[in-house]
Amino acid sequence: MAPAGDTPTPPRRTIPFTDPASTTRVILIASGKGGVGKSSVTVNLGVALAAAGHRTAVVDADVWGFSVPKMLGIDHLPQMVDEMIVPPEAHGVRCISMGFFAEEDQAVIWRGPMLHKALEQFLTDVAWDDPDFLLVDLPPGTGDISISLAQFLPRSEVYVVTTPQPAAQRVAQRAAFMAEKVNLTVRGVIENMSWFTGDDGKRYELFGAGGGQELADRLDVPLIGQVPLLPALREGADRGRPIAAEAPDSEAGRAFSAMATHLVDNPPPRRIYSPELKIN
């Protein structure tokens, strides 16, 4: 019992996804550089998972370049219920983002400790309700946020997004090597902007070819999908109408559906936790 006049300190919340009993698969979507369509991949992959019947949520951890709420078409703010943040939902995907707490044209000028605390609150103070998949849209590169999330979510799976040109995949591999250094498992590569299909039915590889497969081979992981370059994909992101929801039978829609199926069909090796097993 606290002395008279003192306010009891509320119990510190824990990150639910670190509980060994948690069934949520945490998927970190990473890239070595900006401009490769990482957020668009995250959003559409989340929508495809939700369309397949899986409870799906997204953490927009790119606190400087937050874009997930706009891409999902979310036009309302989170609500507070019993001191917990209830994330808004669109297309079956729940989302939390710095975009809900900052003006669209506001620069977020934060350093490591503030970023660390904000990310922790995204994980502990949001009523996630045990999703099957929690996708985390990382900022590009290998900075503070990626390192903090490795500490917060040590059971995460990492998927690296690249574009086909060799220069891009060489940068993307840095994100993969960072993940390995902080003991996270890279599980696959996603190649975006792989080709453009013209009206003549021919594929035009505008950004080169082979970068995704080369990166996957170097990391000894599968290339789980190649996403074509479609005007509708970009337009859907700008209008908040993801192509995985609006046109699931399109060339890009089918690519995201196939990647969602790959994730579902390829769970990570199961870790066995038992209090009786101890190494002295």
Side-chain angles (χ1 to χ4, degrees):
M1 183 174 178
D6 286 358
T7 302
T9 301
R12 184 182 178 85
R13 296 191 181 103
T14 60
I15 297 173
F17 311 112
T18 60
D19 188 334
S22 173
T23 59
T24 299
R25 286 178 61 186
V26 180
I27 309 294
L28 305 185
I29 308 295
S31 70
K33 62 191 290 291
V36 300
K38 169 184 52 61
S39 297
S40 176
V41 166
T42 302
V43 165
N44 281 284
L45 186 54
V47 170
L49 285 165
H54 304 283
R55 294 172 298 169
T56 306
V58 172
V59 171
D60 185 359
D62 191 348
V63 299
W64 300 288
F66 46 84
S67 57
V68 170
K70 182 177 180 180
M71 288 184 175
L72 278 171
I74 294 175
D75 58 3
H76 55 284
L77 296 176
Q79 302 297 312
M80 292 294 298
V81 176
D82 295 331
E83 298 184 349
M84 292 292 286
I85 301 169
V86 179
E89 180 178 318
H91 307 291
V93 178
R94 283 166 288 154
C95 170
I96 197 70
S97 169
M98 185 58 67
F100 295 129
F101 308 101
E103 297 296 331
E104 188 171 354
D105 59 353
Q106 177 183 344
V108 179
I109 307 174
W110 286 0
R111 302 185 71 177
M114 295 179 71
L115 295 171
H116 191 89
K117 182 60 179 176
L119 291 170
E120 186 178 27
Q121 288 187 276
F122 280 177
L123 298 171
T124 59
D125 295 352
V126 176
W128 289 116
D129 194 26
D130 299 324
D132 299 315
F133 288 91
L134 179 73
L135 276 59
V136 182
D137 182 32
L138 295 176
T142 57
D144 287 350
I145 290 178
S146 299
I147 295 170
S148 291
L149 283 167
Q151 297 171 349
F152 291 145
L153 301 166
R155 298 164 59 199
S156 302
E157 308 165 49
V158 178
Y159 288 82
V160 180
V161 178
T162 187
T163 48
Q165 64 266 44
Q169 66 89 9
R170 284 194 292 270
V171 175
Q173 74 182 9
R174 298 172 194 161
F177 293 160
M178 182 280 297
E180 293 174 351
K181 284 185 177 294
V182 294
N183 298 316
L184 294 179
T185 302
V186 179
R187 299 265 293 155
V189 170
I190 299 169
E191 186 183 84
N192 195 26
M193 309 180 194
S194 297
W195 59 77
F196 170 75
T197 303
D199 293 338
D200 57 2
K202 182 179 177 181
R203 287 183 177 182
Y204 294 89
E205 294 168 333
L206 303 179
F207 295 99
Q213 188 62 62
E214 184 178 341
L215 178 59
D217 292 343
R218 183 168 297 186
L219 300 175
D220 195 24
V221 297
L223 175 66
I224 72 164
Q226 294 175 284
V227 182
L229 185 64
L230 295 180
L233 181 58
R234 190 271 306 165
E235 292 166 1
D238 288 342
R239 294 182 299 164
R241 302 174 68 177
I243 198 167
E246 295 292 307
D249 292 328
S250 65
E251 193 177 16
R254 292 193 303 271
F256 287 115
S257 178
M259 284 189 281
T261 298
H262 176 91
L263 288 184
V264 173
D265 291 345
N266 292 273
R270 185 174 180 182
R271 298 180 182 182
I272 300 175
Y273 296 88
S274 173
E276 289 80 20
L277 294 175
K278 294 183 180 179
I279 297 177
N280 296 320

